[in-house]
Amino acid sequence: MQKSILHLDKKQGQTYHAIFKNNHGRRLYIQLQINNNEIFISDCFYTDRPARNGHNAVPCKFHTSHCTCDSFIDVFKNELDKTFFGIEFSDTENKLSTEEYIKLKTQVKTKYKFLILVNDNNTYKTRLKNRIHRSILLEIVCSGNKGTITDCHYSDRTYKRNNAYITPSGLTSITFDFSLYNILKIVNSELNCDFTDVIITQDSFGFNDSPLPICGSI
């Protein structure tokens, strides 16, 4: 089994940062400063979850901001769900901002991921899986040049509270100017997805015969 090594890139001076995936496949960013044998963690958050109210999503178990170099690996194991067997520090400063560094490290070759919408007259439906693997049913009705989200709820759980469906908390756009671009923008930014294009089809893809998602992170 290949042992994981944490590679820390030098940002500037004694400030380092890195991006890594934990044991659950979640991608995180961490920034720290080193002073003698002490480490001061100044930032740590998920890069695969959208910010809310201007605040990045910090792991719930993470609470350490100061530790020794010897106990640094334990912070990852106990609070960030990642086991590293060693740490490597870069000697070359990159002087990239946090945003520039994240963009550079998460760039991948262009890969298409299609949002499939099943069209029935003026109604467009899909059942998708977002980046954190939640299944969501989405229904949009087009009237003139306006689109209205008439249904959007998690479809991977049964809620006993009066059989109520739960709408994703990030969804804020209900009525919008109907276009494939706006649909893609809403789904990606408000439902935590990473689709690149939209396909509209008359074929039901077995939509009504199975509760399984037809597109997304499946």
Side-chain angles (χ1 to χ4, degrees):
M1 181 181 70
Q2 185 177 4
K3 294 184 177 181
S4 297
I5 304 295
L6 174 63
H7 300 278
L8 286 163
D9 295 309
K10 179 178 281 192
K11 187 173 186 179
Q12 191 170 10
Q14 294 302 306
T15 301
Y16 294 80
H17 51 183
I19 287 180
F20 64 95
K21 280 189 177 182
N22 68 10
N23 296 334
H24 306 294
R26 303 300 307 279
R27 190 172 62 242
L28 295 100
Y29 170 84
I30 190 167
Q31 178 176 290
L32 55 96
Q33 289 81 39
I34 298 178
N35 185 3
N36 295 323
N37 190 44
E38 294 182 299
I39 289 179
F40 299 87
I41 302 172
S42 56
D43 214 352
C44 183
F45 57 86
Y46 292 114
T47 65
D48 56 3
R49 291 184 64 178
R52 294 284 175 82
N53 300 320
H55 298 287
N56 292 313
V58 178
C60 294
K61 294 193 296 182
F62 176 70
H63 62 269
T64 298
S65 60
H66 173 218
C67 64
T68 65
C69 290
D70 292 337
S71 62
F72 187 41
I73 286 180
D74 292 332
V75 173
F76 287 88
K77 181 178 180 181
N78 299 327
E79 302 178 24
L80 300 174
D81 295 317
K82 179 65 177 181
T83 300
F84 286 111
F85 293 89
I87 302 174
E88 291 183 356
F89 294 90
S90 170
D91 293 327
T92 305
E93 292 184 347
N94 56 46
K95 296 184 179 180
L96 295 174
S97 68
T98 297
E99 292 75 16
E100 291 170 335
Y101 181 76
I102 291 173
K103 184 177 180 180
L104 175 67
K105 287 292 185 178
T106 55
Q107 279 180 340
V108 294
K109 294 181 180 179
T110 302
K111 187 176 182 180
Y112 292 106
K113 182 176 283 189
F114 295 103
L115 171 64
I116 301 172
L117 295 175
V118 177
N119 175 226
D120 183 10
N121 293 321
N122 292 320
T123 300
Y124 300 82
K125 294 182 179 181
T126 189
R127 193 180 289 108
L128 60 91
K129 237 181 193 182
N130 66 9
R131 289 190 293 184
I132 58 173
H133 298 280
R134 293 300 308 273
S135 294
I136 298 172
L137 183 142
L138 176 67
E139 180 179 285
I140 300 170
V141 172
C142 177
S143 178
N145 63 348
K146 293 293 183 180
T148 302
I149 297 177
T150 55
D151 192 5
C152 181
H153 65 264
Y154 292 119
S155 60
D156 55 356
R157 289 182 182 175
T158 301
Y159 294 90
K160 298 180 180 179
R161 189 174 67 251
N162 298 323
N163 293 320
Y165 290 119
I166 304 300
T167 297
S169 59
L171 180 69
T172 58
S173 301
I174 301 301
T175 301
F176 56 95
D177 292 332
F178 187 86
S179 69
L180 299 187
Y181 172 80
N182 284 339
I183 292 174
L184 194 65
K185 181 179 178 182
I186 291 169
V187 170
N188 282 342
S189 63
E190 301 184 19
L191 300 181
N192 196 9
C193 296
D194 55 357
F195 294 105
T196 60
D197 297 270
V198 180
I199 292 179
I200 295 178
T201 177
Q202 301 289 336
D203 190 330
S204 68
F205 276 87
F207 185 86
N208 297 320
D209 301 324
S210 171
L212 297 176
I214 62 173
C215 58
S217 300
I218 55 178

